[in-house]
Amino acid sequence: MGPEIKLYKKVKKKTPSIIWNRVENLTSIGMPDALAYNKNHIFFTVEFKVTRGNKLKFSPHQIAWHSTHPQNTFIIAQTLGHGLVKLFRGSRIRELDACGLKLEACASGLEACGLYLSELGA
């Protein structure tokens, strides 16, 4: 099991109020890893990324997808070793690609990221 799937499972376990659907999509390249639905009846997507350092790697398709779908899209990134989890809005993917994890996050820490997504639309 890859590190991004492990991160997905960790986030899913910590957010029981969110319905998670893993997207294994070969036809729409660039689409995020998961489609989710929270208690406030809000759909959103999440791209999971795991890195060893500050830099995150995005394909041009992922950048294009998030750029054309700026609402209710998110990126959850984890640094290996530190285990720090950060949540970013998908609309900031170009900044995130350029700045890496130095970019200010919507939430930091697994609990805070889960709470942020759970409360969308409240």
Side-chain angles (χ1 to χ4, degrees):
M1 179 176 4
E4 291 175 356
I5 293 174
K6 287 180 184 176
L7 176 57
Y8 164 76
K9 288 184 175 192
K10 190 185 301 186
V11 170
K12 184 178 177 181
K13 185 176 180 179
K14 286 285 189 180
T15 54
S17 66
I18 296 176
I19 298 169
W20 291 94
N21 296 281
R22 185 110 170 112
V23 178
E24 298 294 340
N25 195 340
L26 299 175
T27 58
S28 181
I29 53 178
M31 186 164 179
D33 299 318
L35 173 65
Y37 185 75
N38 72 11
K39 64 185 178 183
N40 297 318
H41 312 288
I42 301 294
F43 278 104
F44 57 94
T45 61
V46 178
E47 178 68 37
F48 293 92
K49 289 290 183 183
V50 176
T51 184
R52 293 192 186 281
N54 178 54
K55 186 75 174 152
L56 295 169
K57 293 181 183 179
F58 295 103
S59 74
H61 302 290
Q62 289 171 321
I63 293 170
W65 199 95
H66 279 89
S67 296
T68 57
H69 301 86
Q71 300 297 314
N72 292 342
T73 62
F74 298 91
I75 299 159
I76 293 181
Q78 180 182 31
T79 307
L80 288 176
H82 297 96
L84 181 61
V85 176
K86 292 185 173 185
L87 177 71
F88 301 91
R89 291 194 170 279
S91 60
R92 300 190 72 196
I93 193 167
R94 291 183 193 278
E95 295 170 86
L96 190 55
D97 188 49
C99 300
L101 295 176
K102 292 179 183 176
L103 186 68
E104 186 177 341
C106 296
S108 292
L110 187 56
E111 302 280 335
C113 293
L115 181 63
Y116 188 97
L117 294 173
S118 295
E119 297 300 322
L120 280 177

